[in-house]
């Protein structure tokens, strides 16, 4: 079917519902980069260098935000069609290198017909005018409604429910956020403040990252928030964002962050970003999330009296550790997720051991006992099973947490503490601000150990059964149910 004329398309857009609107392109198709777990995620043919995203929030977290997403990219192959991941919003118009472009949609892809064919290696500037809809269901992710506004929870594949882009962690980019809100509200985003402008009854807040970021790690918070400032190691700006009414209640937890940063720096080296802090959302979310430079927690995590102090502290360390493992060094594919969660769980367990929790050995012995069952339920750490439709968060299963920390424990037993500590520091230094694979990690470990560890890693990362634990022949695994 031929492309609709722009005049006809404009007429159709005027009556479109709040779903992703499309001109009729000839057979638009989702592409994807072939990720084993999310095959339609990401898009071939270009590399995103930077996003500039403007949101206008109208005061209600049930109402779509108006948005403009500008993408600065470079082609890596000849392109006449450009696929962007985008799934929840109305597209009002698209420009490519300053020229209006026709567009269509298929499943969770926005497909743009470029006005002319672009060869490989040339600049690609895309502007999408759209809405960003906070309405969703199930475990889709994206915007999280809070008592007074919104926050983002984009892991694993939900950033494209908020803004169009190349929604795969292998394509990291710099971000600028421009958030316009009613003047009584506060907007905060990943990175550092880069301006604040009042116009009438609204305020526009601008934030910019100094390091590249995966789309799944983006964070924007809007609400009646207090922004609390303190100083971390080496003069690092530490910024916490909390519901204004709860700032005093939360302070005993927030003031711990500088010391936690110092503890992590002793383990693996200097903090990798321009700022850090905790974002506390007044929302009944049942998770915490390592959004870059501003980790997300639900308020009840800090106010629930049933959690012992050492447990809350260690989970704070878990999200902080992710700033090195997962944020600075991001997974090249979602099958490499164990590198994120295994390391974060490892440092969580070590911090808990030093601060009133159980010993690391006891926790790892229990993980070993359960490991075969975890592998049977979800696959081995570096080759996890896929997820069922509507259950994408089920990827974050026990084998990814203590099951993967157990691999690190076994590795330390195998190569010794000194080599293991050198490996950890080298890993985050060599791959800083980049992406890395499981093969990169195993190759580096073999180099530092001075011997080929392929057989060791084959069993621990890909085996159906958990191998014997080095140094602990008495450990045994329970039979899967």
């Amino acid at each position: 079917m031929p492309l609709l004329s722009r005049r006809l398309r404009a007429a159709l857009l005027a009556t479109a519902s709040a779903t992703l609107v499309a001109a009729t392109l000839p057979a638009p198709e989702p592409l994807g980069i072939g990720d084993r777990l999310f095959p339609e995620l990401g898009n071939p043919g270009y590399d995103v260098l930077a996003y500039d995203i403007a949101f206008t929030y109208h005061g209600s977290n049930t109402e779509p935000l108006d948005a403009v997403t500008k993408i600065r990219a470079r082609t890596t192959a000849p392109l006449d069609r450009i696929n962007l991941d985008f799934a929840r919003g109305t597209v009002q118009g698209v420009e490519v290198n300053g020229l209006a472009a026709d567009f269509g949609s298929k499943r969770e892809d926005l497909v743009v017909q470029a006005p002319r064919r672009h060869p490989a290696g040339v600049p690609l500037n895309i502007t999408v005018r759209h809405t960003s809809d906070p309405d969703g269901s199930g475990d889709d992710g994206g915007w999280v409604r809070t008592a007074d506004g919104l926050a983002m929870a984009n892991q694993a594949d939900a950033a494209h429910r908020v803004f169009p882009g190349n929604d795969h962690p292998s394509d990291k980019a710099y971000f600028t956020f421009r958030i316009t809100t009613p003047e009584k509200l506060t907007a905060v985003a990943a990175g550092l403040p880069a301006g604040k402008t009042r116009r009438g009854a609204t305020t526009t807040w601008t934030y910019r990252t100094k390091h590249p970021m995966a789309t799944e790690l983006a964070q924007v918070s809007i609400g009646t928030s207090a922004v609390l400032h303190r100083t971390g190691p080496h003069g690092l700006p530490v910024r916490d964002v909390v519901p204004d009414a709860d700032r005093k209640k939360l302070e005993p937890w927030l003031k711990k962050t500088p010391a936690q940063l110092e503890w992590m720096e002793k383990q693996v080296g200097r903090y990798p970003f321009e700022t850090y802090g905790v974002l506390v959302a007044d929302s009944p979310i049942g998770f915490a999330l390592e959004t870059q430079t501003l980790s997300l927690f639900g308020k009840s995590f800090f106010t629930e009296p049933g959690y012992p102090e050492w447990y809350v502290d260690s989970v704070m360390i878990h999200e902080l550790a992710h700033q090195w493992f997962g944020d600075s060094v991001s997974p090249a594919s979602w099958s490499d997720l164990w590198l994120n969660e295994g390391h974060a769980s490892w440092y969580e367990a070590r911090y808990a051991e030093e601060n009133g929790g159980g010993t690391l050995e006891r926790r790892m012995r229990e993980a070993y006992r359960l490991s075969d069952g975890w592998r049977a339920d979800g696959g081995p750490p570096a080759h996890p099973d896929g997820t069922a439709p509507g259950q994408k968060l089920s990827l974050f299963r026990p084998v990814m947490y203590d099951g993967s920390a157990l691999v690190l424990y076994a590795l330390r037993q195998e190569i010794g503490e000194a080599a293991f500590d050198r490996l950890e520091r080298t890993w985050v230094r060599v791959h800083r601000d980049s992406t890395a694979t499981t093969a990169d990690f195993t190759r580096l470990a073999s180099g530092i150990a001075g011997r080929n560890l392929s057989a060791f890693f084959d069993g621990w990362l890909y085996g159906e059964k958990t191998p014997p634990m080095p140094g602990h022949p008495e450990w045994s695994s329970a039979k899967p149910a």
Side-chain angles (χ1 to χ4, degrees):
M1 187 177 294
L3 292 173
L4 295 173
S5 70
R6 288 189 173 85
R7 180 176 295 177
L8 177 56
R9 191 187 68 197
L12 291 176
L13 284 172
T15 58
S17 61
T19 58
L20 197 150
V21 175
T24 305
L25 286 170
E29 289 294 336
L31 294 178
I33 60 171
D35 188 286
R36 187 180 67 84
L37 297 173
F38 299 103
E40 292 185 358
L41 203 61
N43 297 286
Y46 62 92
D47 173 33
V48 177
L49 306 176
Y51 293 90
D52 190 316
I53 306 174
F55 293 114
T56 299
Y57 179 77
H58 299 289
S60 167
N61 63 8
T62 63
E63 180 181 349
L65 291 75
D66 293 318
V68 179
T69 296
K70 296 180 180 180
I71 300 170
R72 182 166 59 86
R74 194 166 189 85
T75 58
T76 58
L79 283 179
D80 53 14
R81 285 228 189 142
I82 303 157
N83 279 49
L84 300 171
D85 300 304
F86 188 49
R88 189 184 293 155
T90 303
V91 177
Q92 290 112 359
V94 182
E95 294 180 0
V96 177
N97 289 349
L99 299 176
D102 288 298
F103 56 91
S105 65
K106 188 66 175 288
R107 293 198 285 275
E108 297 194 349
D109 270 27
L110 169 64
V111 185
V112 180
Q113 183 70 45
R116 60 173 64 97
R117 185 172 175 81
H118 296 275
V122 300
L124 188 63
N125 294 290
I126 307 164
T127 299
V128 183
R129 301 182 185 280
H130 61 98
T131 62
S132 184
D133 195 342
D135 184 35
S137 60
D139 69 352
D140 281 353
W143 287 116
V144 171
R145 290 175 178 164
T146 66
D148 56 355
L150 294 169
M152 283 186 192
N154 294 335
Q155 201 176 74
D157 74 328
H160 67 279
R161 292 168 175 82
V162 177
F163 57 89
N166 206 24
D167 193 11
H168 192 276
S170 62
D171 193 1
K172 298 169 71 165
Y174 293 89
F175 278 74
T176 298
F177 297 99
R178 307 175 197 274
I179 310 113
T180 300
T181 69
E183 59 184 349
K184 65 180 180 179
L185 300 179
T186 298
V188 182
L192 290 172
K196 178 180 172 183
T197 304
R198 287 189 175 90
R199 180 173 297 174
T202 66
T203 303
T204 299
W205 314 72
T206 302
Y207 294 85
R208 189 167 289 122
T209 66
K210 289 191 173 182
H211 297 263
M213 179 169 67
T215 50
E216 50 111 0
L217 301 173
Q219 183 57 267
V220 168
S221 164
I222 301 168
T224 52
S225 306
V227 182
L228 310 176
H229 298 277
R230 61 196 89 228
T231 303
H234 323 290
L236 179 76
V238 175
R239 167 197 61 177
D240 299 312
V241 183
V242 303
D244 188 59
D246 299 303
R247 57 193 301 174
K248 289 184 179 180
K249 184 190 303 184
L250 294 168
E251 179 61 20
W253 300 108
L254 303 176
K255 69 181 182 182
K256 295 172 181 258
T257 299
Q260 292 173 348
L261 281 158
E262 290 177 1
W263 186 87
M264 273 302 304
E265 287 195 346
K266 289 178 182 177
Q267 314 311 310
V268 293
R270 194 152 177 164
Y271 177 73
F273 296 123
E274 63 270 27
T275 184
Y276 184 65
V278 168
L279 167 60
V280 181
D282 191 355
S283 177
I285 58 174
F287 58 85
L289 186 61
E290 65 275 13
T291 40
Q292 189 164 307
T293 73
L294 190 63
S295 291
L296 172 67
F297 295 83
K299 185 175 77 170
S300 63
F301 178 71
F302 296 106
T303 58
E304 167 59 52
Y307 296 143
E309 183 175 1
W310 68 263
Y311 173 74
V312 176
D313 289 347
S314 66
V315 174
M316 292 177 73
I317 286 288
H318 181 108
E319 304 311 326
L320 174 58
H322 270 308
Q323 303 296 313
W324 285 263
F325 300 95
D327 293 13
S328 179
V329 185
S330 298
S333 78
W334 280 107
S335 295
D336 301 310
L337 177 62
W338 80 274
L339 287 164
N340 299 20
E341 298 300 346
H343 277 100
S345 299
W346 171 257
Y347 291 103
E348 171 195 333
R350 290 193 46 214
Y351 191 86
E353 180 179 49
E354 295 181 18
N355 291 273
T359 66
L360 175 67
E361 183 173 322
R362 176 183 295 178
R363 180 166 170 170
M364 292 298 99
R365 184 166 186 167
E366 178 64 7
Y368 190 89
R369 186 181 72 83
L370 298 172
S371 180
D372 279 357
W374 290 341
R375 290 174 183 237
D377 289 341
H383 196 80
D385 295 342
T387 62
Q391 298 179 4
K392 291 179 178 178
L393 290 183
S394 67
L395 178 62
F396 296 85
R397 49 182 75 111
V399 73
M400 285 297 166
Y401 293 89
D402 277 14
S404 296
L406 186 66
V407 176
L408 300 176
Y409 183 86
L411 178 60
R412 191 175 72 164
Q413 293 288 106
E414 179 74 16
I415 67 176
E417 289 190 22
F420 180 82
D421 289 347
R422 190 159 66 253
L423 168 63
E424 296 290 274
R425 290 175 175 272
T426 304
W427 175 252
V428 296
R429 185 181 73 250
V430 169
H431 296 288
R432 183 180 181 182
D433 286 341
S434 187
T435 62
T437 66
T438 296
D440 292 328
F441 186 80
T442 61
R443 186 166 47 248
L444 180 62
S446 293
I448 287 177
R451 56 191 171 90
N452 191 329
L453 295 172
S454 296
F456 170 87
F457 281 118
D458 282 347
W460 279 97
L461 291 176
Y462 300 102
E464 181 181 338
K465 299 290 186 181
T466 312
M469 177 58 70
H472 289 288
E474 75 282 7
W475 285 16
S476 61
S477 180
K479 291 183 179 179

